[in-house]
Amino acid sequence: MRGIGEDSAFYTTASPWLAGGRQGGPVGEGHQTSAEAGDSTFARGLAEHGLWGKRGSLIAIHPPRLTIRLMCNHYANSPEIQAELSTWREFIAWDLKAPLPPEAEAVETDVWPRRKAWVVRQEGVSQEGGGAFADIMAWGVPLSLPGKRPGTTVTKYVTNIRNLDSPFWRSMLARPQQRCLVPFARFAEPKIGAGREEHWFTLKERPIGAFAGLWRADANGAKVFAFLTCEPNPLVAPLHPKAMPVILHESDYARWLEGSEADARALAVPYPSQLMGVS
């Protein structure tokens, strides 16, 4: 299937039918899930029924509740993230004297969809006088889909990117200026059948790692981002078989920010299990 692909997202809606849900469970702001919304037929069905389940049935109706399987929609940073980013200087052209956005101090340690988060992006390439700098963006790239009723829309905020063959993502991937590093100290995956409990994954030898991200400006000019996912490694797979974030090796930071599209695609692979821990 072409289109957005198996991207993780959550929805807000102007449709009263979808906002109210069905069978006793609202599907609205704050509910995270996955969808193959790039396929027009599937997107139409999603807008009409408020649920999806092709190839794995990520949502199942268990009256009177709607059960949603979350994925890759919670991560955290250390309070010392600004100092930790300084260690990236040997891998990218990082300037500690570059001014930080005024809102940097207000960014929360825990990151959820549509919350503000740290991102490192580049302005030109370092060999030509450019370099990377810290920025603050909202997590989730908005996509509008038609609602059930005429004149209504459903907004999908894509947080995780799986299908790089989608024209939407491919055009961003092809432009190094739209790639970014997403710093993280740990990321969460839900414990199946355990309510709100989560597994937390960390990197053994680094206090701060980086997801491979893409960013753009939304319709209002605000900067938003999402990060790539891939097949899970042997550590993640038993706990979350759907996917895991694309985590970059430090030696690949510059390649992700400045390389060709082929270079960037080659980095979308599982991170080695032996370099990770889980709690």
Side-chain angles (χ1 to χ4, degrees), residues 32-134:
Q32 300 88 26
T33 185
S34 297
E36 293 183 344
D39 178 85
S40 58
T41 302
F42 186 78
R44 197 160 47 244
L46 173 65
E48 292 177 355
H49 301 296
L51 49 95
W52 49 96
K54 192 172 182 178
R55 288 194 304 221
S57 188
L58 296 180
I59 286 187
I61 295 294
H62 299 288
R65 299 191 62 176
L66 180 65
T67 300
I68 303 178
R69 182 174 177 182
L70 311 178
M71 64 173 291
C72 304
N73 275 318
H74 184 198
Y75 71 94
N77 275 311
S78 72
E80 300 80 19
I81 182 172
Q82 181 177 340
E84 295 293 349
L85 292 183
S86 68
T87 64
W88 294 4
R89 282 179 295 180
E90 63 180 292
F91 307 107
I92 56 178
W94 171 259
D95 183 2
L96 287 177
K97 297 180 181 179
L100 296 174
E103 66 268 34
E105 294 184 2
V107 174
E108 297 179 4
T109 299
D110 273 83
V111 185
W112 299 89
R114 299 193 70 187
R115 300 280 183 86
K116 294 294 183 67
W118 287 84
V119 170
V120 173
R121 64 186 180 94
Q122 58 131 347
E123 190 70 44
V125 295
S126 58
Q127 294 90 337
E128 299 173 358
F133 60 95

Side-chain angles (χ1 to χ4, degrees), residues 146-168:
K148 175 181 172 66
R149 297 179 180 178
T152 63
T153 59
V154 178
T155 300
K156 178 191 183 199
Y157 290 86
V158 181
T159 54
N160 301 160
I161 306 164
R162 186 67 180 271
N163 183 7
L164 294 177
D165 289 326
S166 159
F168 183 80

Side-chain angles (χ1 to χ4, degrees), residues 255-269:
R255 184 182 177 195
W256 173 255
L257 290 179
E258 301 178 4
S260 66
E261 180 181 346
D263 286 335
R265 282 177 174 270
L267 298 176
V269 295

